[in-house]
């Protein structure tokens, strides 16, 4: 199969493969990681990958939609030294690719590097060493017909210590050579959806780059119907709508969607959507708790995309009372309902805390009910880095739901995982009973690392080696120091 060199942005490396998988599925093709990857096995931590695709059109589709792709090149050769690269570039399969441009094609040649600055004099020397290619066309530095690029990749460890500008020049790990096919046109969307430039946002608004990655995981495209049950300020809705999907949003607190302007004015989510010219794709906004939702029919949405509240900036809540009413209080409520006063303020239903591990279990059950077959649930799950176990994710699953991607955004002591779960069944399920919890048949239930995350975050993470969770030290709360 034809091979293509992909140049990636060095951010969110763990999200790279899931994004490639999702976008290739969206457009109905598959790819393969090339074996000739310089001994690093297409390591997601490095900026270059060689992929095998059926044709150039597929490579261009990935460049136009993948947020992490900076550019795609027709792959010619690579090596740990220039001698290896030139030898590979003169093999028949490589020569066949570039020889068709020899006669009358204008070109430009670039020598560049990752994590290094190459001296101008050596750039000229490297270019002259490609003279065997014998290009007869015009050298055009402004508008060439083809752009030939040579990439030198240097170790990331070089960043850790101060060094002279050109120190270690030529001591690269790998060098790649190819012809530019297309620059990544999706990556500039990070600037377009920058939260700082948005007309309406809050302290829990998701950063633009991550919300775009989430949108790609949903396979957002024209004709699809998406839902955000924790809408907030709408950060996930805008990129999904930009890719052509219709969006419905809800939240237990309507003020998050409306903003400070009040109920009589246009909601803040709609004002921000107009900024991106996608307001016509926001179907509606509603205020309700998903554990008391109004959906009477399942199998409606193609995907759920959401960032559930986990308590760091806003605590998760659901309808209900923290304490049961006394008989006297119940009697007073009954009298008030029967004899309402005309000057009464609008009733605001009481809420109670919603423990994160219960929330995500309920979210998966709800997704199984409301999603179409093959629909996706895409959400973030915070977790404690040292205590995370793979089984933590599977404790929230139910029949008919399967994890297809799990990517970590690491913040040190804790991180958040972008989880993608697919509905793999076409069986119809009734509305879930959120109060019911799975029985353990007398066996101790596994305690996931994200349980009681809010308390652990604010009071600090500490390992108590006198107790264990599934054979590992348990995370418990630090005792607050007295002043």
């Amino acid at each position: 199969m034809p091979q293509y060199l992909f140049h990636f942005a060095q951010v969110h490396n763990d999200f790279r493969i899931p994004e490639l998988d999702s976008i290739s599925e969206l457009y109905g093709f598959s790819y393969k990681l090339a074996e000739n990857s310089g001994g690093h096995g297409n390591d997601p931590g490095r900026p270059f990958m060689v992929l095998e695709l059926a044709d150039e059109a597929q490579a261009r589709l990935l460049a136009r939609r993948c947020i992490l792709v900076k550019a795609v090149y027709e792959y010619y050769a690579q090596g740990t030294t220039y001698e290896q690269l030139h030898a590979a570039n003169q093999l028949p399969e490589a020569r066949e690719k570039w020889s068709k441009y020899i006669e009358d094609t204008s070109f430009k040649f670039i020598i560049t590097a990752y994590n290094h600055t190459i001296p101008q004099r050596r750039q000229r020397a490297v270019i002259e060493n490609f003279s065997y290619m014998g290009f007869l066309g015009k050298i055009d530095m402004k508008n060439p017909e083809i752009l030939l690029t040579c990439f030198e990749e240097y170790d990331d460890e070089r960043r850790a210590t101060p060094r002279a500008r050109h120190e270690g020049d030529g001591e690269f790990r790998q060098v790649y050579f190819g012809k530019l096919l297309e620059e990544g046109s999706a990556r500039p969307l990070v600037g377009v959806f920058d939260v700082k430039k948005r007309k309406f946002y809050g302290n829990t608004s998701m950063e633009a780059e991550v919300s775009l990655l989430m949108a790609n995981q949903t396979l957002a495209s024209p004709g699809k119907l998406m839902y955000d049950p924790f809408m907030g300020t709408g950060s996930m809705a805008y990129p999904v709508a930009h890719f052509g999907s219709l969006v419905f949003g809800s939240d237990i607190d309507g003020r998050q969607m409306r903003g400070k302007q009040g109920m009589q004015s246009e909601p803040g989510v709609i004002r921000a959507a107009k900024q991106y010219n996608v307001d016509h794709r926001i179907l509606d906004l509603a205020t309700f708790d998903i554990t008391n939702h109004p959906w009477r029919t399942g199998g409606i949405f193609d995907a759920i995309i959401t960032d559930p509240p986990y308590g760091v900036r806003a605590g998760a809540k659901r309808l209900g009372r923290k304490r049961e009413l006394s008989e006297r209080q119940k009697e007073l409520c009954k009298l008030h309902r029967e004899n309402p006063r005309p000057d009464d303020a609008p009733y605001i239903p009481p809420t109670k805390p919603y423990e994160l591990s219960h929330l995500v279990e309920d979210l998966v059950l709800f997704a199984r009910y409301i999603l179409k077959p093959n629909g996706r649930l895409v959400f973030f799950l915070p977790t404690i880095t040292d205590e995370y176990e793979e089984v933590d994710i599977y404790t929230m699953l139910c029949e008919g739901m399967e994890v297809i991607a799990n990517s970590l955004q690491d913040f040190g002591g804790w991180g958040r995982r972008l989880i993608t779960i697919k509905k793999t069944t076409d069986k119809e399920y009734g509305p879930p009973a959120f109060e019911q919890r799975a029985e353990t048949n007398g066996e101790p239930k596994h305690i996931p690392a994200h349980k009681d995350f809010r308390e652990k975050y604010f009071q600090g993470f500490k390992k108590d080696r006198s107790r264990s969770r599934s054979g590992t030290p348990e995370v418990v709360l630090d005792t607050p120091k007295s002043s």
Side-chain angles (χ1 to χ4, degrees), residues 216-228:
N216 275 347
Q217 286 300 102
T218 67
L219 310 184
S221 57
K224 291 189 176 180
L225 184 58
M226 306 289 176
Y227 176 39
D228 185 350

Side-chain angles (χ1 to χ4, degrees), residues 24 98 129 134 145 223 233 244 252 281 292 320 444 468:
S24 60
W98 54 258
N129 288 334
E145 293 178 71
T233 58
I252 192 173
R281 296 189 182 131
N292 291 274
S468 64

Side-chain angles (χ1 to χ4, degrees), residues 299 301-302 371-376 422-427:
F301 296 101
D302 293 285
L371 288 176
K372 297 176 182 178
N374 297 315
R376 291 185 168 198
K422 183 177 181 179
K423 182 177 177 179
T424 57
T425 178
D426 56 3
K427 180 180 177 181

Side-chain angles (χ1 to χ4, degrees), residues 20-31 54 58 61 219:
L20 289 173
D21 290 343
S22 293
I23 301 308
S24 60
E25 180 179 337
L26 173 64
Y27 290 117
F29 62 84
S30 60
Y31 71 92
Q58 294 180 356
L61 285 173
L219 310 184

Side-chain angles (χ1 to χ4, degrees), residues 110-130:
I110 293 178
I111 307 297
T112 187
Y114 166 73
N115 200 28
H116 181 69
T117 301
I118 304 175
Q120 194 70 33
R121 64 181 182 278
R122 194 168 72 81
Q123 291 186 39
R124 290 194 296 269
V126 170
I127 292 174
E128 290 172 359
N129 288 334
F130 282 90

Side-chain angles (χ1 to χ4, degrees), residues 227 290 293 295 297-304 360-379 396-402 421-434 436:
Y227 176 39
I290 65 164
H293 62 82
W295 305 112
T297 303
I300 300 174
F301 296 101
D302 293 285
I304 293 175
V360 293
E361 289 177 9
D362 290 346
L363 181 60
V364 174
L365 283 171
F366 176 71
R368 184 178 66 173
Y369 166 64
I370 206 71
L371 288 176
K372 297 176 182 178
N374 297 315
R376 291 185 168 198
L377 166 63
V378 180
F379 68 100
M396 68 181 72
L397 292 183
C398 57
E399 181 185 4
M401 302 294 281
E402 178 185 336
I421 297 177
K422 183 177 181 179
K423 182 177 177 179
T424 57
T425 178
D426 56 3
K427 180 180 177 181
E428 293 185 6
Y429 291 86
F434 293 108
Q436 296 181 2

Side-chain angles (χ1 to χ4, degrees), residues 339-360:
N339 302 285
R341 291 171 49 183
D343 59 341
D344 271 355
Y347 175 71
I348 299 177
T351 60
K352 60 183 179 180
Y354 202 176
E355 207 286 310
L356 180 61
S357 62
H358 295 165
L359 185 156
V360 293

Side-chain angles (χ1 to χ4, degrees), residues 162-173:
R163 57 187 175 87
R165 185 180 182 188
H166 300 306
E167 181 182 340
D169 184 55
E171 298 175 2
F172 48 79
R173 298 175 68 177

